[in-house]
Amino acid sequence: GNYQTLGELPKELDIIAEEEIYPDKVLGSRVTIQGGVPVSQSLIQWKHKSVDDVTWEDNDVLRGQFPEFNLEDKVISEEGGIDGN
């Protein structure tokens, strides 16, 4: 059909290439309960992202998406409040 290109997207709307979205380092670890099952998670700082953009990610998901990224030798703590038993 007939179409016209209206121009380029503003730079802030550019899509980041997939290879740039990669874990840089693990800042912390925890175990949460999801559906009654313990799930190990890591606090991930992503490459090319600020410290404000860290996220908690399930370790099994990380291992599946980034098999070469090493999650071993990290301290795991049980999640809970300061007033918990």
Side-chain angles (χ1 to χ4, degrees):
N2 240 353
Y3 73 92
Q4 293 179 331
T5 303
L6 298 177
E8 295 184 22
L9 286 173
K11 192 168 195 135
E12 60 270 6
L13 294 179
D14 279 347
I15 297 173
I16 298 171
E18 189 172 328
E19 64 270 6
E20 291 180 352
I21 301 173
Y22 191 83
D24 188 32
K25 57 181 144 181
V26 176
L27 302 178
S29 299
R30 69 180 181 185
V31 176
T32 62
I33 304 297
Q34 296 177 5
V37 177
V39 176
S40 296
Q41 295 182 328
S42 294
L43 185 61
I44 300 296
Q45 181 174 354
W46 299 93
K47 284 189 179 182
H48 311 294
K49 298 287 183 180
S50 75
V51 164
D52 295 331
D53 294 325
V54 298
T55 57
W56 285 104
E57 303 293 335
D58 292 354
N59 287 355
D60 289 341
V61 173
L62 285 169
R63 284 187 188 102
Q65 291 182 341
F66 308 101
E68 64 284 349
F69 185 69
N70 188 4
L71 291 170
E72 303 305 317
D73 300 325
K74 307 299 177 206
V75 177
I76 297 176
S77 61
E78 297 293 326
E79 181 179 343
I82 59 172
D83 59 337
N85 290 334

